[in-house]
Structures are given as C-alpha cells and as structure tokens.
Amino acid sequence: GSGFNRKEIGRGSICFALPEKGTGIENLNLGQSYLNDIVKNVSLPKSVDLTAIKMGSMGFFYFLKNAIQQLESGQSNFVIIAAMDSFISDVRLSHYDEQWRLKSDRNPHGFIPGEASSLVMLEFEESAKARGAKILARLYGYGIGREPNPVTQDKSSTGAGMTMAIRECLTQSGSDSTVKWLISSINGEQYHSYEWGVVNSRLLDRMSGNLQLHHYADTIGEVGSAMPGISIGCVVNAFDRGYAPAASALICAGDATGLRAALSVSKPEEI
C-alpha cells in the first residue's frame, strides 16, 4: 500500500489535467462541480487541495512545474497529477474529423482516437522512504518549448519547440550522455512524424546511434491529457520487469497550440 492515512492525504494536492479547450469539450461537465463530485464520491478530506486545468497533454507539465514549487516550499507533502481524456465522443470525433486529423478512408495519415486516464504521484525521496513506499522512478529534469508552426496551421513543423524542450531537459538533468530511449508524441499524423524527423536532425549530437524510439499511441490511440502519465507508467513497468532498453527515458509531448515538453525519467538506483 501507499502507507498513507487519512490525515496525511489531507496534506497533499491533487491536480486534474483535463482535455484541451476548444476541442469539443465545452458541453462536458468538467468545471468546479466535477471536482466537488470527486471529493464526495472518493470521500477525500476537505483539506486536500484540488485544482484542474484544460490543456491536454501539456496540463501534466503545467502541474509538474507547480508540484516542484509546492514540494520545495512545504505547501504539500505530495502531489498527485490525475489525467483523463477521451476522443471517442461524437462531438470530439466530429471536431477532429472536420480538421482532417482523424485516421479515416479520406485521411490515412490521421490519428486513431482513444480514451484513458492516469495518475502519477510526486514526492521527495525522503518522504517516500519514511512511509516505506517503493520508489518507482526518479524525475531529473524537464524542458518547455514552443513550436511556431502548430498542427492547426497549413505549415510543417520546424522542430524548434521540441528541440528547445529536449535541450533544456537534458541541461536540467545534468546529463551529458546521448539519449538512448525516447518516448515520442508520434500518433499517426504526418505532421508529428515529420516533426520528429526534423528534431532528430537538429539533435544528432545528443541522440544515440541505437536510439530506441517508442510511441504508445500506436497501441492505445491518441489519449491526450493521459499520455504523459501513461508513458511514465510504461517506463516504470519496463524498469521493474527488466526489459527497459536504457536506464533512463526521455518522455516528450506537445499540443495543438505549439507548446512542447520533455521529461527525463530514470531508474531509482541511477543517479
């Protein structure tokens, strides 16, 4: 178990990364009443801090930055980033189909819609050890960038935003070795595949010649907000079961507005 009692849960924060605004979610009940229902149905202590944001996959990274600040300041003992997304409602299917982004007979280079949820708990190592909790992974750095040609425009990606995010992440993590395992945002859309081709050419000095490039949207479809958390879960599972291709992984994400992000996740015993 987590080793938490009810009193300790009240000293933490739970953040909800929800589907991206302007993508057919306007009629969904994802406001304050949604959070109130969660508190009631899960019987959370009223003292637990709940926040939500509708930014798609970038919502995870928004809360990651806030989580570091909350933990360092002592505002929270732990932070849980909960994410959920679904692309299979009629409204959202119509929205993305009208943008020629869904995979279909008329658009073979689109994404397959999916739905999923994920939860990632962040805390200092000392706190986890004090509870006797198993440390699953360490986060060593993250980076943010902005792509000037987002997917909603009629131009190809320059790769600049993702390149910036990856370089910043590697600088923060203090790593001077090449990236051997990368989890990308490739989801079937030609735009993202082209972007990664450009990014790889821009980062030849940091990419291993035997780079393992994984993209989980191949198997579960596009799941937006939930993809960063699911990617972390897949990496942790690979660490735990012994089939990870490297001791650390670089997890990357982006949204339709052009925001890009990268996160370094390493095995517990790695420094």
Side-chain angles (χ1 to χ4, degrees):
S2 66
F4 276 128
N5 57 42
R6 185 173 176 82
K7 184 177 180 180
E8 289 171 326
I9 291 176
R11 295 171 181 163
S13 299
I14 304 179
C15 310
F16 294 88
L18 302 176
E20 193 172 346
K21 284 183 179 179
T23 59
I25 67 167
E26 287 69 30
N27 294 328
L28 300 179
N29 179 25
L30 296 176
Q32 185 60 46
S33 60
Y34 174 73
L35 299 184
N36 294 340
D37 287 343
I38 291 176
V39 173
K40 179 180 178 181
N41 294 331
V42 184
S43 299
L44 291 172
K46 292 184 179 180
S47 58
V48 69
D49 181 37
L50 297 183
T51 54
I53 196 167
K54 300 171 185 175
M55 290 181 65
S57 63
M58 294 304 298
F60 178 92
F61 291 89
Y62 172 87
F63 284 129
L64 173 63
K65 179 180 179 180
N66 286 358
I68 294 172
Q69 295 173 347
Q70 289 181 33
L71 293 172
E72 289 181 341
S73 67
Q75 178 183 342
S76 298
N77 291 356
F78 69 89
V79 176
I80 293 175
I81 303 178
M84 61 287 295
D85 214 330
S86 175
F87 289 78
I88 63 175
S89 68
D90 290 343
V91 175
R92 297 198 83 192
L93 287 172
S94 296
H95 171 83
Y96 286 105
D97 188 47
E98 289 173 2
Q99 293 188 343
W100 287 75
R101 294 188 59 190
L102 282 185
K103 182 177 177 63
S104 64
D105 290 340
R106 66 173 185 161
N107 180 32
H109 303 297
F111 69 79
I112 296 175
E115 65 175 354
S117 61
S118 64
L119 290 97
V120 175
M121 179 175 169
L122 306 171
E123 63 180 328
F124 285 129
E125 182 176 351
E126 296 78 9
S127 175
K129 287 182 176 179
R131 291 187 294 103
K134 181 179 179 180
I135 299 172
L136 302 177
R138 288 192 176 99
L139 308 186
Y140 278 106
Y142 72 96
I144 303 293
R146 180 172 286 279
E147 167 57 45
N149 295 340
V151 67
T152 51
Q153 294 185 2
D154 294 329
K155 296 181 180 180
S156 298
S157 171
T158 67
M162 189 63 78
T163 300
M164 180 186 301
I166 291 174
R167 287 199 182 279
E168 181 183 346
C169 175
L170 295 176
T171 298
Q172 276 195 24
S173 64
S175 172
D176 56 4
S177 61
T178 57
V179 177
K180 299 178 178 64
W181 185 16
L182 192 149
I183 317 300
S184 82
S185 56
I186 293 175
N187 64 355
E189 293 184 271
Q190 186 173 3
Y191 171 93
H192 293 292
S193 298
Y194 179 86
E195 178 174 60
W196 276 104
V198 176
V199 170
N200 191 54
S201 65
R202 285 174 174 261
L203 292 170
L204 286 176
D205 61 319
R206 301 309 308 269
M207 296 296 173
S208 168
N210 297 316
L211 176 69
Q212 294 290 310
L213 180 64
H214 295 175
H215 24 90
Y216 299 131
D218 282 357
T219 54
I220 63 174
E222 177 59 75
V223 294
S225 302
M227 189 61 83
I230 286 177
S231 297
I232 291 174
C234 290
V235 168
V236 166
N237 200 46
F239 287 156
D240 189 53
R241 298 194 176 193
Y243 60 83
S248 64
L250 193 66
I251 297 175
C252 301
D255 68 6
T257 72
L259 283 173
R260 299 290 186 266
L263 171 67
S264 176
V265 181
S266 297
K267 290 178 69 173
E269 66 269 24
E270 295 296 323
I271 299 178

